Structures are given as C-alpha cells and as structure tokens.
Amino acid sequence: NLSSIKGIVGSPYRNNSFQIGIIYRNKDSVKTFLRYNALNDEIEIALSKDASSSTNAIIKSESITCKIINDFFVYKEFVDENKFKNKGYLIKAYGGEKYNLYVRDKKVFKEGEKARNSLELDKPPKFIDKQTVFIQHMSDLPKAVKLKYKKISELIAKEDQVKLAKLKNSHRKITSLDKLISLISSID
C-alpha cells in the first residue's frame, strides 16, 4: 500500500510504474501490465499502465515466466550467498550452451535512526538495493558469486578451466555484469 510507505526513502519496486509485459506459461502467453516488487519478491499485475496499486500477483511457479520490457524473469531454485538453497525470481542476463547468468534484484528495508545528538540529522527509513549475480553451469542450480575473478573461477567447470586461464589477463578485473557476460560468453 503506497500510503503506508510514505516518508520512506526509495521504493520497494524495481520500476515504480507498471510496464508492458508478457506472462508465459507453457506455449501460452498473455500481454498485460507488470511490475516487480523487489521487497516481497513478486510480480504484480495491473489492467492499465496508470494503475497505482495491484490486487493481483503472478503465482510463483517454475512453469511461469515473465518479460517486463527487456528483462526476462524466471522463478527458480538457487544457492544464495550463504550457500543455502532458496527460491525466487531471477532475471536472466545471459543464456549460452553451457552457462547461464542471472541477476537477483532485491530491496531490503532499513529502519530509520534518530539522531544521537543535536549535530546529527535523523536518518529516515529507506529501501536499499541489493543485487546478486548467479552463475549456472548446465543443469546445476544457479550459484551466487561475487564479481571477483577468483570467486568466478571456482564456479567454472573443470573442462573450461583451460579456456578461463587463457582469458585471465584480459578479464582480470571484473567490475560489472557486462564484463562478466563477456567472460562467460568467451568460455561458452
């Protein structure tokens, strides 16, 4: 409810407004207006682009996928940063023959803080963006990875380690998703 988040910095949504989107299930598809609620990890449905709130959300199922503008959302099981199995929406960033890359855009709510003294200002409550990148090899579960060469190399299959070693110098600093996509597509 938008009135309950008044005074909070940021938004729980990836995009505040509803965007044109497509819901896919098996061979069927439906065009409608969608937005991703990154706080609650759900995709909301509206009948018009100008809707301010939604009463419906897509059922969380691995057989249902969505496309919002150019982002392809899939609901699947993955291994998070703490090595626990989890389920949620991932955005497909790259799809190759052996490797897939996913991004999980979450919003985390951070409570506000009162000023400790008269020289400080109160910190308002806010939504913080938390982005996690996942690498999936073949039919393995997608695994969370930090954008560091050493961490990425641990998730590359043994048979592809030689290719990775040849690319080491040109991809030593991986500071963005685009650079990771370039590395993985070179290996794939």
Side-chain angles (χ1 to χ4, degrees), residues 59-186:
I59 296 169
K60 293 180 178 182
S61 166
E62 292 188 17
S63 66
I64 299 173
T65 57
C66 299
K67 185 176 180 185
I68 304 175
I69 308 175
N70 291 324
D71 295 325
F72 199 73
F73 288 82
V74 293
Y75 185 78
K76 60 189 310 135
E77 191 172 19
F78 57 85
V79 178
D80 66 17
E81 307 91 340
N82 302 318
K83 309 275 189 260
F84 292 114
K85 283 185 181 178
N86 213 327
K87 275 190 172 189
Y89 282 106
L90 302 177
I91 302 165
K92 195 165 194 171
Y94 169 80
E97 287 182 36
K98 293 193 279 182
Y99 292 95
N100 291 314
L101 290 178
Y102 297 96
V103 174
R104 182 167 167 85
D105 276 345
K106 285 288 293 171
K107 298 272 186 163
V108 180
F109 179 74
K110 185 174 180 186
E111 292 284 344
E113 296 176 16
K114 290 281 183 202
R116 288 179 281 188
N117 57 45
S118 61
L119 299 173
E120 290 181 354
L121 296 173
D122 288 344
K123 292 180 183 172
K126 61 183 173 180
F127 293 107
I128 301 170
D129 293 324
K130 183 181 177 212
Q131 189 177 68
T132 310
V133 176
F134 294 84
I135 296 177
Q136 179 183 27
H137 177 255
M138 305 294 265
S139 62
D140 294 346
L141 290 179
K143 293 181 177 88
V145 66
K146 288 189 172 22
L147 291 182
K148 296 191 180 334
Y149 183 84
K150 185 176 188 266
K151 297 291 182 188
I152 293 165
S153 66
E154 291 170 5
L155 295 181
I156 301 300
K158 285 187 173 98
E159 68 265 15
D160 295 325
Q161 288 293 332
V162 174
K163 286 183 195 174
L164 181 65
K166 289 178 185 174
L167 297 165
K168 187 175 186 176
N169 290 336
S170 60
H171 290 85
R172 191 74 180 142
K173 287 257 188 227
I174 298 172
T175 55
S176 69
L177 181 60
D178 290 337
K179 289 184 179 180
L180 179 60
I181 290 171
S182 170
L183 174 67
I184 297 297
S185 64
S186 299

Side-chain angles (χ1 to χ4, degrees), residues 20-23 29-34 46:
I20 190 73
I22 304 170
I23 303 169
S29 65
V30 176
K31 256 188 181 178
T32 187
F33 295 96
L34 305 170

